[in-house]
Amino acid sequence: MSTSAHPSADAIRTAGTVTDRLVEANERYAADFTDPGMDARPVLRVAVVACMDARLDLHAALGLELGDCHTIRNAGGVVTDDVIRSLTISQRALGTRSVMLVHHTNCGLESLTEDFRHELEDEVGQRPAWAVEAFRDVDQDVRQSMQRVRTSPFLLHSDDVRGFVFDVTSGLLREIDPADSAPADPA
């Protein structure tokens, strides 16, 4: 069952590469496309940073429409230098004021370690310049992301930064308290 308004996979020709099929889908989309007359400034003045996980349909999950927000996605929804770059442009040039961070349960980064980088270095003979940013505790990773956004000297607006964990089995968001650094000791 398709969860989007786009043509179903069955409606897309099966021959050719995946990219060929996506280009064909775009041709069908463009045939009925009407310029919405928007500029690049998000209507809701919010930027959403989220994981690239294919199970997370951000617009549907958050009730967003075209033009509502800026969406920045990467593996883990990690706040990297490039995410700070995008948020800086989003705020300073395009008027966003709020940042929403969305990580999720059962993330692939929970099963990786920095050994991934070392294995790549062994394989290709060059160490990646980036960190894997693997984690074991998704709540703590959201807190770290919130802290990185809040302390960036490049961002004008860091007072409305909120972090969430999306549950991939229920579809619900759970807000993370930035001050709650560890679970309570049951003893």
Side-chain angles (χ1 to χ4, degrees):
M1 174 172 98
S2 176
T3 58
S4 71
H6 301 290
S8 70
D10 295 336
I12 299 173
R13 151 178 94 77
T14 57
T17 68
V18 171
T19 303
D20 291 335
R21 288 179 278 180
L22 297 175
V23 170
E24 286 181 12
N26 172 257
E27 290 169 359
R28 286 188 293 280
Y29 170 80
D32 295 324
F33 183 78
T34 303
D35 180 358
M38 302 175 182
D39 69 10
R41 295 176 180 273
V43 173
L44 299 179
R45 296 169 47 145
V46 63
V48 180
V49 178
C51 185
M52 66 185 191
D53 193 291
R55 297 169 292 180
L56 181 51
D57 182 349
L58 276 177
H59 277 72
L62 302 176
L64 295 167
E65 299 292 330
L66 181 67
D68 281 348
C69 72
H70 284 157
T71 305
I72 304 161
R73 295 182 80 159
N74 66 25
V78 175
V79 177
T80 60
D81 286 345
D82 192 59
V83 168
I84 293 295
R85 172 190 159 272
S86 293
L87 288 173
T88 302
I89 292 166
S90 178
Q91 287 188 357
R92 290 179 177 265
L94 298 166
T96 60
R97 298 292 177 261
S98 301
V99 177
M100 182 176 190
L101 304 167
V102 181
H103 295 203
H104 65 90
T105 58
N106 195 26
C107 184
L109 285 185
E110 292 174 296
S111 63
L112 290 177
T113 67
E114 287 299 315
D115 287 341
F116 182 79
R117 284 180 71 218
H118 302 302
E119 291 164 5
L120 281 172
E121 181 180 7
D122 290 345
E123 179 182 329
V124 302
Q126 180 179 340
R127 177 178 293 164
W130 39 264
V132 174
E133 299 269 358
F135 58 89
R136 295 188 195 279
D137 180 340
V138 67
D139 291 17
Q140 187 56 35
D141 197 58
V142 172
R143 283 186 202 93
Q144 175 178 291
S145 293
M146 285 190 281
Q147 184 66 16
R148 286 178 177 175
V149 172
R150 287 187 174 133
T151 59
S152 173
F154 305 109
L155 298 176
L156 294 172
H157 307 283
S158 59
D159 54 324
D160 188 12
V161 177
R162 293 172 63 189
F164 299 84
V165 174
F166 175 84
D167 187 311
V168 297
T169 59
S170 73
L172 290 173
L173 289 175
R174 178 172 51 82
E175 188 159 9
I176 302 302
D177 182 347
D180 187 17
S181 62
D185 187 0

